[in-house]
């Protein structure tokens, strides 16, 4: 049998499980959403710096924005409007940024995440 003394990795895993158990679901959801938003912003060409255009990848941005829309729409009833409102605003801003960055416009309601959120103007 392994003990904490013979298997320090087991101790680290146990501590990580305890740490994550102490985090509220709303915090985990909003953190995941912020990560998706940040990545989508970079892929839309909104990164700070001279290399923003080089980092732009609208195919990747579409995937990230759609995933963000799914998370925000499904989590909103659970996390409440005080948390969901800013996430919705950020999502909408990214959808508009994507539309602006695209050379070929999607039909209304066909942009990233719009099947979940409705058309964004």
């Amino acid at each position: 049998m392994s003990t904490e003394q013979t298997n320090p990795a087991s101790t680290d895993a146990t501590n990580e499980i305890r740490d994550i158990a102490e985090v509220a679901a709303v915090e985990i959801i909003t953190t995941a959403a912020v990560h998706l938003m940040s990545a989508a912003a970079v892929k839309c060409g909104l990164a700070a710096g001279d290399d923003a255009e080089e980092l732009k990848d609208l195919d990747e941005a579409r995937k990230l924005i759609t995933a963000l829309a799914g998370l925000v729409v499904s989590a909103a009833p659970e996390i409440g409007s005080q948390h969901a409102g800013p996430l919705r605003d950020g999502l909408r801003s990214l959808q508009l940024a994507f539309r602006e960055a695209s050379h070929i416009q999607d039909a209304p309601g066909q942009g990233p995440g719009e099947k979940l959120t409705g058309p964004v103007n």
Side-chain angles (χ1 to χ4, degrees), residues 6 17 22 26 34 74 116:
T6 61
I17 290 169
E22 295 173 6
V26 68
V34 168
S74 64
L116 299 165

Side-chain angles (χ1 to χ4, degrees), residues 58-81:
L58 295 180
D59 183 51
E60 290 288 303
R62 178 181 296 277
K63 294 171 188 170
L64 291 163
I65 294 169
T66 300
L68 174 63
L71 177 61
V72 171
V73 168
S74 64
E78 301 298 325
I79 63 175
S81 61

Side-chain angles (χ1 to χ4, degrees), residues 6-29:
T6 61
N7 191 354
S10 174
T11 303
D12 291 342
T14 302
N15 289 337
E16 287 178 20
I17 290 169
R18 283 190 193 124
D19 289 345
I20 199 72
E22 295 173 6
V23 179
V26 68
E27 188 174 337
I28 294 171
I29 292 165

